[in-house]
């Protein structure tokens, strides 16, 4: 099936109280692991590409691998730019064939965020075929694209801004900050993980039926941290978002849940385990088979325990 945009996916997800997983991709094993798991569970999926991923894998390789995934399965797949930093980056991805882009000007003053987001929407929505646009209000803490946003510089989304932002820009979905953050260290050790569901509910009231996005939604699954550390890895004080909280958010207006760190963790933990158990192996296919399986298993786990998107393709 050819790539699709996310409008229909989000409409169904909103109405039926589940969310679509948006998984970051950088290489073939990740794409195959994600798409195989989604195909087996008959789940729609968003494959997302950061600027770092485009630099690492090269845009043309990523496009061709995603095209190959589309030929290999019948589930709906969206190809999305994660954290686009400028109109030019978004335009380049739209021209390459992405079906969705994020313009992330959440660090800029509101009026500037509106101006650039509107410019991207005008280009994306007049493109044939239509391309969806995600924007962000509020600012998540954590590491993303080598930029480290401290807890002090992060800010929750102000529900008073959302209606005007959506109307003024024409954006298709909105990422909000309610306490999630990028990376594997989301809460201070000893503190209880919490999300601001009151903000989510207020946003939902102001924008009925409108799809909301959660970034920084890895749970840093403890079983994999254990495997990583048993095999020489170091990840002290790693704390993610409890999965039951994310499942709850998916029953509300949250239609897209971004997961990258959990996939990185699963891959690296299983490669470490493989190499520890088989020090004689030097064929990359031997340990990358385990890496691909780890991605597959993590995605299947998320579909069943967090997203609720099984059999919704
Ligand atoms: O939010 C950012 C994603 O986790 C992508 O990370 O920029 O290191 O590829 P990256
Ligand atoms: P995590 O670091 O929690 O996986 O978040 C990923 C993300 O938001 C990508 O945009
Ligand atoms: Zn993000």
């Amino acid at each position: 099936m050819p790539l699709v945009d996310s409008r229909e996916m989000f409409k169904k997800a909103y109405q039926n109280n589940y969310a679509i997983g948006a998984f970051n991709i950088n290489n073939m094993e990740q794409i195959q692991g994600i798409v195989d798991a989604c195909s087996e569970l008959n789940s729609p999926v968003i494959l997302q590409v950061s600027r770092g991923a485009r630099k690492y894998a090269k845009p043309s390789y990523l496009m061709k691998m995603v095209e190959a995934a589309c030929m290999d399965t019948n589930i709906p797949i969206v190809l999305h730019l994660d954290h686009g930093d400028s109109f030019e980056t978004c335009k380049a991805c739209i021209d390459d064939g992405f079906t969705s882009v994020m313009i992330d000007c959440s660090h800029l003053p509101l009026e500037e965020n509106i101006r650039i987001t509107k410019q991207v929407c005008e280009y994306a929505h007049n493109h044939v075929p239509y391309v969806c646009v995600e924007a962000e209000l509020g600012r998540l803490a954590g590491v993303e694209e080598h930029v480290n946003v401290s807890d002090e510089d992060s800010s929750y989304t102000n529900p008073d801004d959302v209606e005007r932002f959506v109307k003024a820009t024409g954006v298709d979905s909105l990422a909000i900050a309610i306490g999630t953050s990028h990376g594997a260290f989301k809460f201070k050790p000893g503190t209880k993980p919490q999300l601001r569901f009151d903000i989510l509910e207020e946003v939902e009231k102001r924008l009925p039926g409108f799809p909301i996005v959660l970034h920084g939604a890895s749970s840093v699954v403890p079983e994999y941290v254990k495997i990583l550390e048993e095999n020489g890895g170091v990840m002290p004080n790693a704390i993610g978002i409890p999965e039951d909280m994310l499942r709850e958010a998916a029953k509300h207006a949250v239609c897209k849940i971004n997961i990258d760190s959990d996939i990185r963790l699963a891959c690296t933990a299983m490669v470490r385990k493989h190499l520890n158990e088989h020090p004689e192996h030097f064929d990359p296919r031997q340990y990358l088979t385990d890496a691909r399986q780890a991605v597959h298993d993590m995605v299947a786990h998320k579909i069943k325990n967090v997203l609720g998107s099984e059999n919704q393709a």
Side-chain angles (χ1 to χ4, degrees):
M1 183 194 274
L3 288 170
V4 297
D5 70 64
S6 52
R7 286 174 296 178
E8 193 58 29
M9 250 185 214
F10 287 164
K11 202 168 146 200
K12 277 179 68 188
Y14 199 109
Q15 284 167 356
N16 296 294
N17 306 316
Y18 63 90
I20 312 291
F23 302 104
N24 287 74
I25 54 169
N26 298 273
N27 62 28
M28 185 189 76
E29 285 74 15
Q30 289 174 332
I31 296 172
Q32 290 179 339
I34 295 164
V35 173
D36 286 354
C38 292
S39 296
E40 281 163 33
L41 295 174
N42 196 30
S43 167
V45 68
I46 298 173
L47 299 176
Q48 57 184 13
V49 173
S50 68
R51 279 177 295 136
R54 286 182 91 221
K55 198 170 160 203
Y56 172 78
K58 295 188 186 172
S60 55
Y61 281 77
L62 282 170
M63 275 317 294
K64 291 295 170 196
M65 286 192 288
V66 171
E67 266 175 39
C70 289
M71 288 165 70
D72 199 40
T73 180
N74 276 325
I75 56 164
I77 301 178
V78 169
L79 178 59
H80 174 77
L81 168 67
D82 193 24
H83 294 284
D85 61 333
S86 64
F87 172 78
E88 288 71 26
T89 308
C90 292
K91 181 180 180 300
C93 290
I94 293 168
D95 293 348
D96 277 355
F98 281 48
T99 51
S100 175
V101 292
M102 177 190 193
I103 175 72
D104 183 359
C105 292
S106 56
H107 55 292
L108 297 177
L110 181 63
E111 297 309 319
E112 198 54 4
N113 190 351
I114 290 177
R115 187 183 68 76
I116 301 171
T117 302
K118 187 166 180 253
Q119 189 190 10
V120 173
C121 286
E122 278 165 4
Y123 189 76
H125 294 166
N126 287 316
H127 186 269
V128 182
Y130 186 96
V131 172
C132 288
V133 181
E134 172 187 323
E136 181 166 323
L137 273 181
R139 201 165 185 211
L140 268 66
V143 184
E144 165 249 307
E145 290 283 0
H146 314 296
V147 179
N148 194 347
V149 181
S150 67
D151 288 350
E152 296 73 48
D153 289 339
S154 67
S155 57
Y156 293 117
T157 302
N158 181 353
D160 288 342
D161 294 335
V162 298
E163 273 170 283
R164 187 164 85 83
F165 185 86
V166 167
K167 263 206 193 99
T169 58
V171 79
D172 301 275
S173 62
L174 183 67
I176 62 169
I178 59 167
T180 60
S181 65
H182 291 110
F185 309 95
K186 299 185 192 293
F187 299 97
K188 292 206 170 67
T191 57
K192 198 167 169 280
Q194 260 168 351
L195 294 184
R196 292 286 305 270
F197 277 95
D198 57 321
I199 296 179
L200 174 58
E201 279 168 26
E202 198 49 46
V203 169
E204 200 172 333
K205 265 191 224 150
R206 312 273 181 116
L207 298 172
F210 191 80
I212 298 302
V213 178
L214 275 193
H215 281 247
S218 279
S219 298
V220 197
V221 178
E223 290 87 324
Y224 284 92
V225 176
K226 189 164 177 276
I227 296 171
L228 185 98
E229 294 197 320
E230 280 169 357
N231 290 282
V234 185
M235 214 184 226
N237 301 322
I239 311 176
I241 313 292
E243 290 186 333
D244 56 340
M245 286 187 194
L246 295 165
R247 183 72 203 98
E248 190 54 33
K251 289 180 187 163
H252 283 268
V254 172
C255 294
K256 174 174 178 270
I257 291 188
N258 284 14
I259 297 168
D260 186 4
S261 297
D262 270 332
I263 288 192
R264 295 177 176 187
L265 168 63
C267 254
T268 307
M270 298 319 274
V271 169
R272 279 192 174 278
K273 184 167 184 283
H274 183 106
L275 292 175
N276 244 1
E277 287 170 359
H278 303 282
E280 74 285 8
H281 281 177
F282 69 96
D283 179 343
R285 289 174 297 184
Q286 292 166 318
Y287 55 85
L288 291 179
T289 298
D290 284 8
R292 182 170 58 190
Q293 187 64 40
V295 175
H296 168 284
D297 295 350
M298 180 60 78
V299 169
H301 169 84
K302 295 291 176 183
I303 290 171
K304 289 181 179 168
N305 296 284
V306 172
L307 304 162
S309 61
E310 187 170 2
N311 286 326
Q312 301 290 350

